[in-house]
């Protein structure tokens, strides 16, 4: 299937790139690896178990390498980068895709569950950034793709800890983008809505507290009733991501799918309305300007 898209890019680059992708075993990471390989790029397909990406090496000889990487292990990230450089000599796109979800009220999540999701979804990408950015800075070129979500800019009952990690990734990426733009490196936060991947079946659940049944459990039931068409195809998401990578001026944030776009728009509009409604109080704390002519 050929997916045609319009965008505000001035040009498309057909130069083969080298990708370093986390979570390549399944879901979006795998879709991104296949999309890149199909267009002739090279891919360091990293995964917790290399067996899960071995088929890519067989299907795309010379283009794909399979590397072991649990993103919680910083030294493994450095080793994977060394292997990538030995095989391909450079890294053009770093895709921080590995991640999982935790469902439950903020209060219901245990300390261990909260720390575990940050270990993978926040400290994981940080480990990969510390391992890859020296290469991108050295080249004075590259693109970092951060696997965020609709929940990187909006949240509802039940997704507090998932959103907390994605918001953290978004905050650090805002700063990172400004820090590395002068060094020739771009950053894009990928914000899909619900995708047709194993994500929901891999969700970790917090132990329920009945007081949260009308909010958290109600949301969980409504998610379970979503029609199949509410889940977007990761291959289409991957194609859209490549469009952004090809763009001369890639976006810092890329919402993908109607659910993500609508949800983020609603959240941003509510924020601006609230800011407007509280302007007088906000400004009341400023030091009053000296009267004119005083
Ligand atoms: N699906 C959605 O609705 C959705 C929506 C918005 C954003 N996202 C984001 O998209 C990203 C990919 O999710 P997905 O939908 O593709 O889910 P998925 O099918 O469950 O895939 C998750 C991937 O992350 C890997 N992973 C998990 N923990 C890891 C770790 N510690 N080290 C290395 N790899 C690890 C998994 O590897 P294993 O095979 O070893 O488990 C798997 O490859 C996540 O960051 C998620 O938050 C998903």
């Amino acid at each position: 299937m050929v997916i045609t898209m319009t965008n505000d890019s001035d040009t498309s680059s057909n130069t083969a790139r080298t990708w370093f992708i986390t979570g390549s075993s399944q879901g979006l990471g795998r879709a991104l690896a296949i999309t890149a390989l199909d267009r002739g790029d090279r891919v360091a397909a990293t995964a917790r178990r290399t067996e899960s990406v071995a088929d890519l090496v067989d299907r795309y000889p010379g283009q794909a390498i399979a590397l072991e990487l649990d993103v919680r292990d910083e030294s493994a990230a450095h080793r994977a980068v060394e292997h990538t450089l030995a095989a391909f000599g450079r890294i053009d796109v770093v895709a921080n895709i590995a991640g999982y979800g935790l469902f439950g009220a903020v209060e219901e999540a245990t300390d261990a569950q909260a720390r575990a999701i940050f270990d993978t979804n926040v400290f994981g990408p940080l480990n990969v950034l510390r391992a890859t950015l020296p290469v991108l800075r050295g080249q004075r070129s590259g693109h970092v793709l951060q696997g965020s979500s609709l929940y990187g800019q909006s949240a509802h009952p039940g997704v507090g800890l998932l959103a907390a990690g994605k918001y953290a990734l978004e905050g650090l990426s805002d700063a990172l983008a400004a820090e590395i733009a002068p060094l020739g490196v771009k950053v894009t936060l990928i914000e899909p809505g619900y995708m047709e991947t194993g994500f929901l079946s891999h969700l970790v659940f917090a132990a329920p507290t009945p007081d949260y049944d009308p909010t958290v459990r109600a949301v969980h039931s409504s998610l379970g009733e979503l029609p199949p068409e509410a889940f977007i195809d990761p291959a289409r998401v991957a194609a859209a991501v490549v469009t952004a990578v090809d763009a001369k001026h890639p976006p810092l944030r890329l919402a993908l799918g109607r659910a993500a776009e609508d949800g983020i728009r609603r959240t941003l509009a509510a924020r601006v309305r609230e800011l407007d409604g509280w302007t007088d109080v906000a400004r009341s704390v400023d030091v009053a300007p000296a009267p004119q002519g005083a």
Side-chain angles (χ1 to χ4, degrees):
M1 180 175 51
V2 175
I3 300 168
T4 311
M5 280 177 244
T6 56
N7 63 87
D8 71 349
S9 61
D10 300 337
T11 182
S12 266
S13 162
N14 289 321
T15 316
R17 297 188 177 89
T18 298
W19 296 65
F20 183 96
I21 304 176
T22 70
S24 307
S25 61
Q26 52 183 317
L28 178 58
R30 186 176 181 84
L32 203 50
I34 290 170
T35 303
L37 290 164
D38 278 343
R39 73 202 305 256
D41 288 352
R42 296 170 292 266
V43 173
T46 79
R48 286 193 276 202
R49 292 176 308 103
T50 48
E51 308 90 87
S52 63
V53 283
D55 64 310
L56 296 178
V57 181
D58 294 341
R59 263 170 72 188
Y60 301 90
Q63 268 181 271
I65 54 170
L67 299 174
E68 188 177 319
L69 176 55
D70 182 322
V71 295
R72 294 169 295 185
D73 180 351
E74 183 171 7
S75 56
H78 285 279
R79 278 197 302 278
V81 167
E82 278 165 27
H83 285 301
T84 306
L85 292 177
F88 299 136
R90 58 184 295 116
I91 297 174
D92 300 298
V93 186
V94 175
N96 269 317
I97 307 298
Y100 73 94
L102 168 62
F103 195 88
V106 170
E107 182 194 341
E108 290 168 347
T110 64
D111 181 63
Q113 286 175 324
R115 287 177 193 280
I117 194 166
F118 267 68
D119 269 346
T120 295
N121 291 8
V122 181
F123 298 118
L126 275 173
N127 287 336
V128 171
L129 287 174
R130 281 191 296 271
T132 54
L133 284 180
V135 179
L136 274 52
R137 281 192 291 106
Q139 295 167 177
R140 288 295 194 264
S141 74
H143 199 151
V144 174
L145 303 174
Q146 302 281 58
S148 184
S149 155
L150 149 73
Y151 299 132
Q153 295 204 64
S154 60
H156 55 65
V159 299
L161 269 303
L162 173 60
K166 297 301 185 188
Y167 273 58
L169 200 57
E170 297 239 351
L172 73 86
S173 298
D174 278 336
L176 178 70
E179 290 162 4
I180 59 177
L183 305 173
V185 183
K186 298 164 186 164
V187 179
T188 298
L189 286 149
I190 309 301
E191 300 171 329
Y194 309 120
M195 285 188 290
E196 214 181 330
T197 65
F199 187 81
L200 288 183
S201 60
H202 300 138
L203 272 181
V204 172
F205 287 91
T209 301
D211 273 352
Y212 293 110
D213 285 349
T215 49
V216 174
R217 249 49 68 188
V219 166
H220 186 234
S221 306
S222 67
L223 287 179
E225 286 157 14
L226 285 173
E229 58 273 20
F231 294 87
I232 53 181
D233 179 355
R236 294 182 79 93
V237 171
V241 169
V242 169
T243 301
V245 169
D246 279 346
K248 193 168 178 190
H249 302 292
L252 175 55
R253 287 180 167 76
L254 183 62
L256 291 166
R258 194 66 64 79
E261 193 196 328
D262 291 351
I264 292 170
R265 274 188 201 284
R266 270 197 305 276
T267 301
L268 295 181
R271 268 188 210 161
V272 171
R273 269 199 310 278
E274 193 168 72
L275 205 53
D276 288 344
W278 286 84
T279 303
D280 290 347
V281 177
R283 293 185 185 168
S284 71
V285 302
D286 290 333
V287 176
Q292 293 248 321

